[in-house]
Amino acid sequence: MSASTASPLSFTITHTAPKATRFAPRLGKLTFHRQNDQRIQLQTPGMLATTSRGVVPHLSRDYYAQCVRSLRWTSVVFESFLEQNPPIPILQKGDHPLHSTLGFNPNTTVLSMTVRDPHDTREMPTNGNAHICAHTLRGVRRLSPEDWRSYAHSTKPDVLIALSDTPFTDPPYSQKRLTKSIERSAAWLLDILRPFSSSLPSPSATPDPKPFALFVPLAGTSSTGARRAFSESLREPLYGPEADALKGTGYTCLDDGVDGYTVDLVPLRASLPAPSNGDVRQDEMIKELVQTSLKPLPSAKPLLITGTSTPHEILRLVSDGGDIFDSKWAQRCADLGVTLDFEFPVRNESTNGKKQLGHNIYSTDYAHDFSPLSSSFAPASSPSDAVPTCYCPACSPVKPTSRLYHGIDRPQDSLVEDSGRGEYEKPYTRAYVHHLLHTHEMGAHALLAMHNLAVLEAFFEGVRSVLASSPSMFEDEVARFAETYNEEFGVLKEAGDMWLGVEKARGKGRLAREKEAAGGDDE
């Protein structure tokens, strides 16, 4: 048998908790191998950021460069480019076309690419054997597995998410629909694994390396039988036409070509029955379904989970062996004017009931609050021994090293750097961001996005620290976190309502808003 096609990704489990089961917290290291022996290493458990049309929301390239620590892995949703034919990213040439098109540094940033936004559960037309439906700005487009394979090879992402036939109609789903779903998902995976060169190598030849790591969504929706059947199909030996299609790759089963697995929680929750009194908690149902998918599969591959909604949920999934989690919920908080404020492990437990996970900066309570965005972290300009330092550009803005001049009247010494290189200025305050939010300044959301991503990265650093130093205490620290912070996250709903009110007032003058708030009676 020939050697298997080499993968650009390697995953090493460096430490596991004492439970010594597949479903236990673990430390790991992802290594993405580049050309010329270059590599990017990411520690797990860790996070990835999400994008909109290839851009991290609210962050310009200057801001992005200041947040590289929190943005080592970024996910790109390809359906947003499908309204153009051909899609713009495939027109770029070079070693890293997707990085070049979107302006990401291939030496510091890992890019994964998926067809559909895993957080989008809008009802969609039914997929077919030869196409998947995707949302674009110009409506629904059909994408064939052949086109997806071609786009992947043209853009060369670091990680490609395989196509999956996830139903986006109202549940429950018939047995026939579930069977089609897992059969199509397996067939589309087979298609993306076909040899990458046009000429088939001899059985003794070494296959060409894959241009990207491949992650496969674990299909089956809320059916334990369907999820088990799909996972088992990945491990079944290949025969006949399927084996011929992968001749020269060295793969004996579909799973040999898979580098990792993904679980998308948003469509999974949508497929579950509505909870009622006395029912098992939804998170317990999700745990059972995820474990059903993973049991037939090897444990030495990373697990990417999208669609988490709170740090509490992340901790529960880390306890069951989750490795990578997306930051969509934290970025959504920035959209709605919420600054995150929590830490792990908890240093100071609350004595006045459970704390909120963040602050609704739209609230008038912060109009004259001149404290930093987070109470759990100190700014670099005034470090504290009691709490860690937040180095995000909102809490620890760096003093400019040179003055900016516009026009031709530049003094001769303007190119000389100021003496303040490396110094930190005072942090932006809650009152200032409150003012920016109510005046519709885009900078408010940029500051909140950078801060929230930094808080989430610090959270994962804390998780890794506990697992490395005292793994037997991890569950105790998780319990302390649950006792300290309120998982219901009420400020997010409150902020959403206030955000909507401010958005409706856009374009109206201050006097008009005050008149409307007073009931419109000024007589």
Side-chain angles (χ1 to χ4, degrees):
M1 183 182 67
S2 61
S4 297
T5 303
S7 171
L9 170 65
S10 62
F11 178 59
T12 305
I13 299 174
T14 58
H15 192 82
T16 56
K19 289 197 292 188
T21 67
R22 168 65 180 86
F23 306 107
R26 60 188 188 178
L27 285 173
K29 180 172 65 177
L30 288 163
T31 303
F32 293 87
H33 302 276
R34 302 288 201 200
Q35 296 177 352
N36 302 323
D37 294 328
Q38 294 182 348
R39 60 185 63 184
I40 298 179
Q41 292 186 338
L42 305 178
Q43 305 297 321
T44 64
M47 59 175 274
L48 66 83
T50 60
T51 61
S52 175
R53 296 186 64 81
V55 177
V56 179
H58 311 301
L59 299 189
S60 66
R61 286 294 158 225
D62 291 340
Y63 282 144
Y64 186 91
Q66 299 177 54
C67 302
V68 172
R69 182 179 177 184
S70 306
L71 299 171
R72 299 293 305 282
W73 185 342
T74 303
S75 175
V76 176
V77 178
F78 200 77
E79 66 181 352
S80 58
F81 301 106
L82 290 177
E83 73 264 13
Q84 302 287 342
N85 190 18
I88 292 176
I90 74 169
L91 302 178
Q92 183 73 33
K93 305 299 181 182
D95 293 333
H96 304 282
L98 189 62
H99 289 78
S100 300
T101 302
L102 302 179
F104 293 100
N105 186 346
N107 296 321
T108 59
T109 304
V110 171
L111 288 186
S112 57
M113 191 170 78
T114 180
V115 171
R116 296 223 58 222
D117 182 354
H119 306 89
D120 186 357
T121 57
R122 288 176 291 181
E123 188 169 345
M124 293 281 289
T126 304
N127 299 322
N129 291 335
H131 74 271
I132 186 173
C133 292
H135 268 297
T136 74
L137 290 178
R138 298 182 180 180
V140 176
R141 294 288 188 271
R142 290 184 174 184
L143 177 68
S144 68
E146 293 78 10
D147 286 341
W148 180 235
R149 184 174 187 274
S150 173
Y151 296 159
H153 285 279
S154 298
T155 55
K156 300 179 183 177
D158 297 300
V159 177
L160 182 73
I161 309 299
L163 296 180
S164 179
D165 182 25
T166 302
F168 286 98
T169 54
D170 292 335
Y173 308 117
S174 65
Q175 183 65 39
K176 181 180 179 181
R177 180 66 184 92
L178 292 174
T179 301
K180 283 185 177 181
S181 174
I182 59 178
E183 288 179 348
R184 286 172 180 163
S185 299
W188 294 342
L189 175 60
L190 177 71
D191 184 79
I192 203 70
L193 289 175
R194 286 189 290 114
F196 301 106
S197 58
S198 57
S199 59
L200 293 177
S202 64
S204 59
T206 301
D208 294 333
K210 289 194 300 183
F212 42 73
L214 186 63
F215 279 50
V216 60
L218 298 178
T221 66
S222 59
S223 168
T224 55
R227 298 189 76 88
R228 185 184 303 109
F230 177 75
S231 296
E232 290 175 348
S233 71
L234 298 180
R235 301 291 295 170
E236 292 176 353
L238 296 173
Y239 298 104
E242 294 180 346
D244 293 339
L246 300 186
K247 186 178 296 183
T249 61
Y251 301 146
T252 60
C253 64
L254 293 177
D255 191 67
D256 287 347
V258 172
D259 298 287
Y261 311 108
T262 69
V263 173
D264 298 326
L265 295 182
V266 173
L268 181 55
R269 290 194 195 100
S271 68
L272 293 174
S276 59
N277 294 334
D279 284 353
V280 178
R281 286 183 55 181
Q282 194 175 73
D283 58 339
E284 292 295 328
M285 299 171 65
I286 291 175
K287 176 180 178 180
E288 180 184 354
L289 292 169
V290 172
Q291 291 188 359
T292 298
S293 291
L294 292 175
K295 283 178 181 177
L297 301 172
S299 61
K301 296 183 180 182
L303 176 62
L304 165 62
I305 300 177
T306 69
T308 54
S309 55
T310 65
H312 300 73
E313 185 175 24
I314 292 175
L315 289 173
R316 288 192 292 267
L317 292 167
V318 167
S319 297
D320 290 329
D323 299 303
I324 302 292
F325 303 84
D326 74 336
S327 61
K328 178 72 172 183
W329 67 275
Q331 295 174 250
R332 181 57 179 164
C333 288
D335 297 342
L336 299 179
V338 172
T339 174
L340 296 181
D341 190 0
F342 59 86
E343 61 176 344
F344 185 92
V346 177
R347 289 172 175 80
N348 298 308
E349 297 184 28
S350 175
T351 57
N352 299 318
K354 290 188 176 183
K355 300 178 181 179
Q356 289 288 343
L357 291 168
H359 308 280
N360 170 22
I361 306 300
Y362 270 113
S363 172
T364 55
D365 294 341
Y366 300 101
H368 301 285
D369 186 343
F370 298 99
S371 57
L373 296 182
S374 174
S375 302
S376 302
F377 300 87
S381 58
S382 56
S384 171
D385 295 333
V387 294
T389 301
C390 180
Y391 289 100
C392 81
C395 293
S396 302
V398 179
K399 184 178 180 179
T401 58
S402 61
R403 184 175 299 175
L404 295 177
Y405 291 90
H406 301 277
I408 61 175
D409 298 327
R410 174 180 298 186
Q412 293 299 317
D413 61 348
S414 64
L415 299 180
V416 179
E417 293 182 346
D418 294 343
S419 59
R421 171 182 283 276
E423 293 183 4
Y424 291 99
E425 296 184 331
K426 292 182 179 180
Y428 294 102
T429 65
R430 299 173 185 177
Y432 176 66
V433 177
H434 171 85
H435 162 73
L436 294 181
L437 288 171
H438 281 271
T439 53
H440 307 285
E441 289 287 349
M442 295 183 293
H445 299 287
L447 293 173
L448 291 172
M450 292 186 289
H451 175 75
N452 288 355
L453 288 169
V455 169
L456 190 56
E457 176 58 29
F459 168 80
F460 280 110
E461 290 177 354
V463 169
R464 295 194 296 268
S465 175
V466 172
L467 288 176
S469 60
S470 53
S472 60
M473 299 297 294
F474 180 73
E475 296 300 335
D476 294 335
E477 293 294 347
V478 171
R480 286 186 63 202
F481 187 89
E483 293 171 358
T484 304
Y485 295 101
N486 188 347
E487 187 176 3
E488 293 183 1
F489 213 175
V491 295
L492 188 60
K493 174 64 168 61
E494 175 188 293
D497 294 338
M498 290 188 176
W499 170 85
L500 186 61
V502 172
E503 283 298 299
K504 287 182 176 180
R506 184 186 293 273
K508 299 179 181 178
R510 179 176 61 84
L511 295 178
R513 293 199 299 270
E514 292 177 354
K515 179 178 179 180
E516 182 177 332
D521 183 11
D522 57 351
E523 299 177 359

